[in-house]
Amino acid sequence: MGHAYIDFAADGTITKFVGKNELLLGRRLFLNASMSQVGEDSSYHKACGLLNNHNNVVVCKKDPDVHKILADKYIPRVRKLQSTIIATNNQPLRHIRIPDAQGPSEVAPLVCESFYYAMNKRKYDVQFAIHNAGGVRTSLNEGDITVADVAGKLLPFAVPIGMYQVTGATLAQVLEGAINNALNNGVEGTGSGSYPYTHNLNFQYIADAPMGSRVTNLQIYNEVTGWEKVRPEQTYSGASSAYTMKGKEGFDAIVNVESDPVVTNLSMADCFIELLTDQPERLNQSSHMVNSVWHKGC
């Protein structure tokens, strides 16, 4: 954390500033994540000594009042979430931001599907969902999936989900802008986390095409008729996180809505937990979705 001493003059100007970043550590250092193994050899004690005397490290004693609040109020809730199994994954599902030789993320499209599922369950009549790759924080290992795995690891940001309406032309701009940003293609991007994953959308991205025309063959899935061509002038309803809906990180065009957007009280984790609770086998089922294709160009 940042720790600073600041003196202000009467007019608000800073007259003295002394500060630094500090890493807060407990008095014991453990060798494993479950905090059950403590070192005993000379290398361990040497490492402890170096850390204890480092200018940017503060060794903290356990505060009994804070510990009591954690033990009585929060730790039991966390333990319950850690033991609440909502699905079982038969094989690992990989998450990656930008698709590589092994393919795209196997997790992010499921997260998008959960937005679509949760919103439509509440009669919002959503047709597609988009989520930025950086909003998904980990892959899913084989085995039991708990509420804590989702809310604490996979989707730890308490960001609400919303609905918006855009034209087909705007939708293509949203996807292109997010990919351009992720790839630094013609723009100075903010990071690979903006790469868009979707549910009920299929498209191709031509990296060396002129800006504004890189997303082609954009299609949307209709539950009755299957895949349909997205019409530039037609309005479509989508679901994304409130962060994405603000036009962050290459998603600028998403603010060009056709009506006032709606933000719900559902978080990203709420949606994914609900999907797996209602459909615990979903992780082990194939999808009708077709992966978007990224062409580098000739």
Side-chain angles (χ1 to χ4, degrees), residues 35 62-84 148:
M35 297 188 295
K62 186 182 295 182
D63 184 286
D65 293 331
V66 173
H67 179 71
K68 187 176 187 307
I69 292 173
L70 290 173
D72 294 346
K73 187 174 182 180
Y74 293 103
I75 292 178
R77 296 184 184 181
V78 172
R79 296 287 182 263
K80 182 178 180 180
L81 296 179
Q82 290 174 332
S83 63
T84 304

Side-chain angles (χ1 to χ4, degrees), residues 154-184:
L154 180 69
L155 300 166
F157 306 120
V159 179
I161 298 303
M163 185 196 77
Y164 51 91
Q165 292 185 315
V166 292
T167 64
T170 297
L171 179 55
Q173 293 172 5
V174 169
L175 296 168
E176 178 178 325
I179 300 176
N180 287 343
N181 183 85
L183 303 180
N184 295 307

Side-chain angles (χ1 to χ4, degrees), residues 5-258:
Y5 294 94
I6 306 174
D7 290 338
F8 295 92
D11 62 356
T13 58
I14 297 175
T15 59
K16 183 180 179 181
F17 178 91
V18 179
K20 58 183 178 179
N21 292 324
E22 294 178 339
L23 176 64
L24 308 184
L25 296 179
R27 288 182 292 175
R28 291 189 298 167
L29 298 180
F30 297 94
L31 301 179
N32 62 336
S34 61
M35 297 188 295
S36 60
Q37 298 179 19
V38 179
E40 297 292 343
D41 60 15
S42 59
S43 297
Y44 171 83
H45 292 292
K46 182 178 179 180
C48 289
L50 290 172
L51 286 171
N52 291 342
N53 292 294
H54 196 286
N55 289 332
N56 294 95
V57 173
V58 177
V59 178
C60 305
K61 295 181 180 179
K62 186 182 295 182
D63 184 286
D65 293 331
V66 173
H67 179 71
K68 187 176 187 307
I69 292 173
L70 290 173
D72 294 346
K73 187 174 182 180
Y74 293 103
I75 292 178
R77 296 184 184 181
V78 172
R79 296 287 182 263
K80 182 178 180 180
L81 296 179
Q82 290 174 332
S83 63
T84 304
I85 298 171
I86 54 176
T88 300
N89 199 17
N90 292 343
Q91 61 183 1
L93 295 176
R94 186 183 74 132
H95 175 60
I96 190 169
R97 291 188 171 189
I98 297 175
D100 60 10
Q102 297 181 53
S105 171
E106 298 172 301
V107 181
L110 287 168
V111 173
C112 294
E113 182 180 346
S114 75
F115 296 174
Y116 172 88
Y117 176 80
M119 294 294 282
N120 281 313
K121 188 176 178 180
R122 290 159 179 80
K123 310 300 182 183
Y124 280 102
D125 197 22
V126 165
Q127 296 169 279
F128 68 89
I130 302 175
H131 190 42
N132 62 302
V136 179
R137 306 306 292 181
T138 185
S139 300
L140 287 175
N141 295 325
E142 181 179 353
D144 292 338
I145 306 296
T146 68
V147 171
D149 291 329
V150 176
K153 299 175 183 178
L154 180 69
L155 300 166
F157 306 120
V159 179
I161 298 303
M163 185 196 77
Y164 51 91
Q165 292 185 315
V166 292
T167 64
T170 297
L171 179 55
Q173 293 172 5
V174 169
L175 296 168
E176 178 178 325
I179 300 176
N180 287 343
N181 183 85
L183 303 180
N184 295 307
N185 187 14
V187 299
E188 186 175 345
T190 56
S192 60
S194 70
Y195 191 90
Y197 282 94
T198 67
H199 178 70
N200 274 7
L201 293 177
N202 181 43
F203 61 92
Q204 293 177 306
Y205 175 83
I206 313 299
D208 59 358
M211 289 187 68
S213 60
R214 291 173 177 168
V215 168
T216 65
N217 299 326
L218 179 56
Q219 297 175 306
I220 190 165
Y221 188 79
N222 183 296
E223 297 290 346
V224 177
T225 60
W227 289 104
E228 299 177 348
K229 182 179 179 180
V230 169
R231 301 182 181 278
E233 72 284 354
Q234 187 169 328
T235 298
Y236 299 91
S237 299
S240 293
S241 72
Y243 179 83
T244 296
M245 289 168 61
K246 290 181 178 179
K248 303 285 188 177
E249 300 187 55
F251 284 89
D252 312 58
I254 206 170
V255 302
N256 300 321
V257 294
E258 298 301 303

